[in-house]
Amino acid sequence: MSRGMLVTYKNNFSQYSVARMNQSELNVFAALLATIKNKGTAPISLDFTKFRKIAKVDKNYSDEELNPLIMGTLCKISSNSLVFENESKAIIFPMFDKIIVDKKDKMITLQVSDNFTVYFNNFIGEFTTFPLVTFTSISGKYAKILYKTLMQFASTGVYKCDYDKFIYEILGVPTTTKRNNINYKILKPAVEKVKEGDPHFEGLEMSFVKKANVTSTIVFNFKPFSVKDKAEDKKDDADFDAIWDEMTKNTNNANDVDDDDLPF
């Protein structure tokens, strides 16, 4: 599979929560990240048609019906902020300085805030990168979040996390979900989808650490591999049409079911 467009960000951007997003919104978000990469604070424009495609919106939607969906998705993305806090102070950074939805010309214009450009430009040091097309081809919210999380640890092949933090804060599983359903209907299917979506994770294994007979830690192991963001990638300056072309090579399975629709 061609690497194509890459989603790349500094590792500390992983603090940015995507737990409230569904799988269509995650696709939109990933495409936005691929678009704003190395663009500084330059305005980014997308038209409704591309948004409709990437969000996998039913083609029968009229533009009048599509507008609330666009607004809802962008509001959810823009409402997420990075929070840096200590005993005396808390600082909240929004991702976008500006979001304009032009209903007449059917265009969306986004502008990344100055405080966020550090995460998406000048990739020196530790960063996470993965092919956009791979991310969008993996079905289900939980599998997508698991995939992007594991990609940060590609070089070590090990990811450990407090069980409750991973389940409820990172994946965004409802707290009312039964424990057995989490393990057998969310985690195991997500692992299988990641293994199917990217051959690097063919040997992916999940295990648990218990304390006092209660699961305290979740552990993922896989064979380490090298992932590099190629500065010479000529597609870095591609527009949104090019991003969409890459995505449609391996996506748009009409039978995909979002994790949010699971009956528990």
Side-chain angles (χ1 to χ4, degrees), residues 2-137:
S2 172
R3 288 169 61 85
M5 294 298 298
L6 299 174
V7 177
T8 307
Y9 50 82
K10 299 288 180 62
N11 281 353
N12 48 4
F13 179 70
S14 61
Q15 302 172 68
Y16 187 88
S17 175
V18 295
R20 293 174 56 236
M21 299 181 191
N22 61 36
Q23 68 170 340
S24 293
E25 292 164 344
L26 285 168
N27 284 350
V28 173
F29 186 64
L32 289 175
L33 294 184
T35 309
I36 65 180
K37 170 187 167 186
N38 288 327
K39 297 295 193 301
T41 58
I44 301 164
S45 295
L46 316 172
D47 66 58
F48 278 23
T49 300
K50 302 304 181 297
F51 191 97
R52 179 194 299 273
K53 289 178 179 178
I54 194 170
K56 300 183 180 179
V57 177
D58 192 322
K59 294 182 179 179
N60 293 324
Y61 269 62
S62 66
D63 286 337
E64 289 72 23
E65 294 170 322
L66 182 61
N67 184 61
L69 175 61
I70 291 176
M71 290 296 295
T73 303
L74 291 177
C75 283
K76 187 178 289 187
I77 292 173
S78 64
S79 67
N80 280 349
S81 301
L82 280 180
V83 179
F84 297 92
E85 186 174 6
N86 58 27
E87 294 180 358
S88 61
K89 186 181 297 185
I91 304 175
I92 301 174
F93 294 129
M95 183 170 179
F96 295 107
D97 273 342
K98 186 186 300 182
I99 298 178
I100 301 173
V101 179
D102 190 324
K103 300 178 183 179
K104 182 179 178 180
D105 293 334
K106 303 175 183 178
M107 292 290 296
I108 306 162
T109 301
L110 308 166
Q111 189 164 10
V112 178
S113 68
D114 285 336
N115 292 318
F116 266 76
T117 57
V118 65
Y119 299 113
F120 312 118
N121 296 269
N122 303 319
F123 298 107
I124 299 174
E126 297 182 347
F127 56 87
T128 300
T129 187
F130 51 84
L132 175 61
V133 68
T134 301
F135 181 84
T136 57
S137 68

Side-chain angles (χ1 to χ4, degrees), residues 63-262:
D63 286 337
E64 289 72 23
E65 294 170 322
L66 182 61
N67 184 61
L69 175 61
I70 291 176
M71 290 296 295
T73 303
L74 291 177
C75 283
K76 187 178 289 187
I77 292 173
S78 64
S79 67
N80 280 349
S81 301
L82 280 180
V83 179
F84 297 92
E85 186 174 6
N86 58 27
E87 294 180 358
S88 61
K89 186 181 297 185
I91 304 175
I92 301 174
F93 294 129
M95 183 170 179
F96 295 107
D97 273 342
K98 186 186 300 182
I99 298 178
I100 301 173
V101 179
D102 190 324
K103 300 178 183 179
K104 182 179 178 180
D105 293 334
K106 303 175 183 178
M107 292 290 296
I108 306 162
T109 301
L110 308 166
Q111 189 164 10
V112 178
S113 68
D114 285 336
N115 292 318
F116 266 76
T117 57
V118 65
Y119 299 113
F120 312 118
N121 296 269
N122 303 319
F123 298 107
I124 299 174
E126 297 182 347
F127 56 87
T128 300
T129 187
F130 51 84
L132 175 61
V133 68
T134 301
F135 181 84
T136 57
S137 68
I138 294 174
S139 66
K141 163 184 173 175
Y142 302 126
K144 289 178 184 293
I145 296 178
L146 174 60
Y147 174 71
K148 69 178 284 293
T149 301
L150 295 180
M151 286 301 293
Q152 180 176 338
F153 302 91
S155 63
T156 64
V158 180
Y159 171 62
K160 299 180 181 180
C161 187
D162 175 83
Y163 182 85
D164 286 348
K165 178 180 179 180
F166 181 73
I167 297 302
Y168 302 116
E169 297 180 24
I170 297 177
L171 293 186
V173 176
T175 55
T176 55
T177 307
K178 294 180 179 179
R179 207 79 162 186
N180 285 340
N181 283 337
I182 292 175
N183 292 340
Y184 292 101
K185 295 186 178 181
I186 293 178
L187 292 176
K188 287 188 175 182
V191 167
E192 290 305 312
K193 289 177 181 178
V194 170
K195 292 167 69 173
E196 294 170 1
D198 189 329
H200 288 114
F201 293 103
E202 184 178 357
L204 176 62
E205 295 182 350
M206 175 179 63
S207 59
F208 306 95
V209 176
K210 291 187 176 184
K211 290 184 178 180
N213 209 32
V214 176
T215 301
S216 61
T217 306
I218 187 167
V219 183
F220 295 93
N221 289 278
F222 54 93
K223 185 177 180 180
F225 58 94
S226 176
V227 179
K228 294 183 179 180
D229 181 90
K230 296 183 178 179
E232 69 273 20
D233 189 350
K234 296 180 180 179
K235 295 186 179 181
D236 277 352
D237 294 324
D239 60 14
F240 201 77
D241 287 325
I243 295 175
W244 172 245
D245 290 340
E246 288 289 347
M247 293 174 63
T248 52
K249 291 178 182 178
N250 294 286
T251 60
N252 290 335
N253 184 341
N255 295 319
D256 283 349
V257 177
D258 197 342
D259 298 307
D260 294 342
D261 298 327
L262 292 174

